[in-house]
């Protein structure tokens, strides 16, 4: 962005500066909407044209801090919109909104630059058939199947495992589906970005990954455009390289928030609850580019912050309209050690229908939900009166539900260094088979702990055998000690 402007480029002068909003006057012609303008002694201040005010002036939003900008200063038109770098050289690197690397490594070479403002695929270019995107995570694949080329929302507070879940999906996508992962941090804290970069590096998934950050301390214009830059890179891998892309956005609410700030600075009349009147259009312009075509698919998982847990908030409502699956993380399940800490009764998927995932899978998922829901209803009775007061049928149902909960836990590759348990990737067929066998009471005599943190269901017998041997030795020692005491 610090290249010199062309000789025939338009030149104007600043007529007003209000925070991140800059008004610029041009004597002859006006630059195009979305054109990038440069100002300052070294042209280090970058602004983007958002509206034409009249025949001689434009209103712009700053993408960099505006300190030092004053009325009368010269402004140069770059003649082009905001550009993002694309090419194989962007893999394993971190970028800002301008396409500059921020990982303190040498600049990549052999890149081409594309405008971040691109139209979504037309209806003719999209694939109309829905197919499932396998993650290798049992609970998600069985109960909340994700759509290839779809959008899933990830809801959860701090410390319940959002980042671990995202990291595991990146690992599985890269290692087992030869795909590319792109992480877009919108309004991220620099600490979170640094920690994520180190986690990805240690997990060994960085070589097939790109990271972009529009940090919390940057102007709203920068945070508002970082998502478009990430999508431009994702579209390159989908359309040019013909690879499947996993796009992770954290946090989509901060994109809406940045748009609200821009709207307020531009002087637009606020809409309901203070949000910008153009929120629906702006969100759709970003979300509709995430699509499944004949070349490949961009599958997106987006962290969603719900203001004050109010799901009727306009930001939450507009986001829900675009999602094909909602994954809700539960602090209660995390405290019980049931990881991934996804609440199966609060979460849902729109493609969990017989026509897409098949009748066998659909019937099983409904049976699991029914069993877990009935167990949730019985928990109060168990807490007050104890398990012994239940009928034999209810006791059997509780046993099945508890074994299902433990079977749907899974050791992750990205947490091996912390837990010491080897990560497991479980195919959809193996996950379905295990759940069916538990519901048939095939494992009713097996301790619940044997089903905890395993991959395939057959590993439970091996785990039981390994835990029984030391115990039998200890029991024998205990019997000898009792005999001696007698």
């Amino acid at each position: 962005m610090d290249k010199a402007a062309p000789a025939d480029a338009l030149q104007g002068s600043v007529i007003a500066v209000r925070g991140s909003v800059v008004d610029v006057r041009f004597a002859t012609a006006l630059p195009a909407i979305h054109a990038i303008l440069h100002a300052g002694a070294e042209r280090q201040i970058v602004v983007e044209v958002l509206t034409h005010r009249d025949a001689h002036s434009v209103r712009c939003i700053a993408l960099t801090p505006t300190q030092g900008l004053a009325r009368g200063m010269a402004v140069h038109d770059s003649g082009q919109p905001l550009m993002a770098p694309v090419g194989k050289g962007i893999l394993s690197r971190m970028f800002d909104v301008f396409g500059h690397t921020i990982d303190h490594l040498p600049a990549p070479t052999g890149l081409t630059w594309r405008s971040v403002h691109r139209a979504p695929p037309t209806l003719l270019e999209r694939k109309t058939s829905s197919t499932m995107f396998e993650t290798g995570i049992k609970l998600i694949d069985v109960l909340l199947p994700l759509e290839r080329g779809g959008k899933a929302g990830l809801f959860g507070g701090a410390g319940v495992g959002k980042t671990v879940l995202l990291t595991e999906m990146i690992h599985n996508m890269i290692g087992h589906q030869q795909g590319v992962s792109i992480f877009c941090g919108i309004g991220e804290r620099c600490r979170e970005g640094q920690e994520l970069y180190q986690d990805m590096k240690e997990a060994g998934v960085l070589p097939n990954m790109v990271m972009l950050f529009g940090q919390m301390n940057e102007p709203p214009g920068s945070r508002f455009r970082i998502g478009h830059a990430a999508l431009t890179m994702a579209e390159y891998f989908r359309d040019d390289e013909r690879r499947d892309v996993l796009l992770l956005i954290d946090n989509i609410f901060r994109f809406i928030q940045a748009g609200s700030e821009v709207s307020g600075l531009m002087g637009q009349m606020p809409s309901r609850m203070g949000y910008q009147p153009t929120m629906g259009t702006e969100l759709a312009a970003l979300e509709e580019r995430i699509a499944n075509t004949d070349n490949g698919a961009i599958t997106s998982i987006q962290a969603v912050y719900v203001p004050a847990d109010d799901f009727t908030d306009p930001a939450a409502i507009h986001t829900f309209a675009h999602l094909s699956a909602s994954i809700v993380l539960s602090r209660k399940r995390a405290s019980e050690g049931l990881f991934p800490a996804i609440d199966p009764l609060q979460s849902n998927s729109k493609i969990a229908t017989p026509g897409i995932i098949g009748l066998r899978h659909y019937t099983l998922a409904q049976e699991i939900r029914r069993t877990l829901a009935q167990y949730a209803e019985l928990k109060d009775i168990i807490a007050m009166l104890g398990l012994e007061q239940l009928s034999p049928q209810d006791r059997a149902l509780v046993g099945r539900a508890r074994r299902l909960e433990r079977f749907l836990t899974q050791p992750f590759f990205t947490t091996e260094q912390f837990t010491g348990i080897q990560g497991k990737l479980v195919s959809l067929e193996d996950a379905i088979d295990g759940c069916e066998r538990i519901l048939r009471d095939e494992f009713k005599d097996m301790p619940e702990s044997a089903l905890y943190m395993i991959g395939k269901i057959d590993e439970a017998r091996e785990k039981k055998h390994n835990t029984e041997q030391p115990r039998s030795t200890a029991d024998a020692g205990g019997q000898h000690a009792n005999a001696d005491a007698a």
Side-chain angles (χ1 to χ4, degrees):
M1 287 299 154
D2 40 358
K3 300 167 189 168
D8 58 346
L10 296 171
Q11 288 204 19
S13 60
V14 176
I15 53 175
V17 182
R18 291 183 302 280
S20 291
V21 171
V22 182
D23 289 350
V24 184
R25 180 178 176 80
F26 290 87
T28 53
L30 291 180
I33 298 287
H34 297 319
I36 291 294
L37 313 180
H38 298 275
E42 298 176 0
R43 299 187 179 178
Q44 77 279 14
I45 298 171
V46 183
V47 298
E48 179 184 337
V49 177
L50 282 194
T51 59
H52 290 168
R53 294 183 65 212
D54 53 43
H56 293 289
S57 66
V58 295
R59 182 159 284 175
C60 314
I61 189 76
L63 303 181
T64 58
T66 54
Q67 282 92 341
L69 198 62
R71 290 175 65 184
M73 268 192 173
V75 177
H76 305 271
D77 175 21
S78 69
Q80 59 189 16
L82 185 64
M83 310 288 274
V86 296
K88 291 183 179 178
I90 66 173
L91 289 170
S92 80
R93 304 303 300 271
M94 287 173 77
F95 296 92
D96 64 9
V97 71
F98 302 111
H100 301 150
T101 54
I102 53 173
D103 50 11
H104 306 296
L105 295 173
T109 56
L111 303 181
T112 54
W113 294 76
R114 290 184 184 173
S115 167
V116 303
H117 303 283
R118 297 166 64 85
T122 63
L123 288 175
L124 291 174
E125 292 172 323
R126 293 170 185 259
K127 266 195 173 176
T128 52
S129 59
S130 290
T131 53
M132 185 179 154
F133 173 80
E134 275 196 49
T135 63
I137 299 169
K138 289 181 286 192
L139 202 157
I140 292 176
D141 288 345
V142 173
L143 293 177
L144 319 163
L146 303 187
E147 183 183 6
R148 185 173 176 267
K151 296 171 272 281
L154 188 61
F155 304 85
V160 292
K162 281 201 306 291
T163 304
V164 171
L165 194 56
L166 291 179
T167 315
E168 185 70 8
M169 287 187 183
I170 292 168
H171 178 278
N172 294 352
M173 175 73 176
I174 291 168
H176 304 279
Q177 300 199 19
Q178 284 71 52
V180 176
S181 291
I182 296 178
F183 182 90
C184 175
I186 304 177
E188 284 281 285
R189 299 170 185 85
C190 59
R191 170 187 59 78
E192 292 171 335
Q194 172 67 15
E195 286 173 2
L196 189 72
Y197 181 76
Q198 292 300 331
D199 290 345
M200 300 299 171
K201 199 171 184 179
E202 288 168 15
V205 299
L206 210 53
N208 277 302
M209 188 174 178
V210 187
M211 302 176 86
L212 295 98
F213 289 98
Q215 291 174 172
M216 195 174 269
N217 62 322
E218 294 181 23
S222 174
R223 287 180 270 128
F224 189 55
R225 288 291 178 230
I226 192 71
H228 297 92
L231 266 165
T232 303
M233 293 180 179
E235 286 164 346
Y236 162 78
F237 287 111
R238 180 191 67 193
D239 300 334
D240 294 38
E241 300 270 334
R242 293 179 175 266
R243 296 170 76 175
D244 280 1
V245 182
L246 181 63
L247 175 66
L248 303 145
I249 301 177
D250 188 7
N251 187 309
I252 201 69
F253 173 77
R254 294 193 190 124
F255 168 78
I256 294 171
Q257 207 172 33
S260 180
E261 289 179 54
V262 169
S263 174
L265 290 165
M266 296 293 290
Q268 292 178 347
M269 185 70 73
S271 182
R272 183 173 161 229
M273 291 179 70
Y275 286 106
Q276 63 271 40
T278 52
M279 176 170 63
T281 312
E282 290 166 359
L283 187 62
L286 186 78
E287 297 278 12
E288 289 302 301
R289 289 170 65 180
I290 301 167
N292 188 357
T293 68
D294 290 331
N295 297 324
I298 301 174
T299 304
S300 175
I301 298 169
Q302 307 169 8
V304 184
Y305 167 70
V306 181
D309 291 337
D310 177 15
F311 284 85
T312 63
D313 188 272
I317 290 170
H318 280 82
T319 306
F320 278 131
H322 294 279
L323 300 178
S324 55
S326 300
I327 301 170
V328 180
L329 293 172
S330 157
R331 193 171 300 281
K332 187 171 182 297
R333 288 178 68 85
S335 66
E336 292 170 3
L338 300 173
F339 290 103
I342 298 168
D343 187 333
L345 301 178
Q346 295 281 326
S347 311
N348 64 75
S349 169
K350 288 180 182 172
I351 68 158
T353 61
I356 297 174
I357 61 174
L359 186 61
R360 178 195 174 201
H361 185 173
Y362 172 77
T363 308
L364 174 71
Q366 293 298 98
E367 180 63 26
I368 292 171
R369 283 180 184 278
R370 197 177 303 115
T371 303
L372 294 177
Q374 289 173 333
Y375 173 46
E377 290 172 4
L378 291 169
K379 277 183 177 176
D380 288 342
I381 300 172
I382 296 169
M384 287 187 292
L385 304 175
L387 192 62
E388 295 76 20
Q389 300 303 314
L390 297 179
S391 66
Q393 291 86 351
D394 284 346
R395 279 205 298 274
L397 182 138
V398 169
R400 281 194 292 273
R402 288 178 62 84
R403 283 171 176 80
L404 277 171
E405 281 185 338
R406 276 142 190 80
F407 175 64
L408 291 173
T409 61
Q410 190 167 339
F412 284 172
F413 291 96
T414 48
T415 57
E416 277 181 19
Q417 54 192 329
F418 309 113
T419 61
I421 306 171
Q422 186 183 358
K424 305 282 185 184
L425 184 89
V426 184
S427 70
L428 176 63
E429 184 56 40
D430 287 334
I432 288 175
D433 176 59
C435 292
E436 282 179 339
R437 289 167 69 179
I438 290 170
L439 287 170
R440 289 199 304 260
D441 284 340
E442 196 174 312
F443 294 88
K444 66 177 181 179
D445 298 325
M446 187 168 286
E448 294 169 5
S449 58
L451 296 163
Y452 180 68
M453 284 293 169
I454 60 170
K456 298 179 186 178
I457 192 73
D458 294 328
E459 293 174 23
R461 298 190 192 284
E462 187 183 331
K463 187 174 180 182
K464 182 191 174 192
H465 177 71
N466 291 342
T467 53
E468 274 180 350
Q469 277 194 327
R471 192 182 302 146
S472 60
T473 310
D475 290 346
Q479 286 167 8
H480 290 310
N482 290 340
D484 292 342

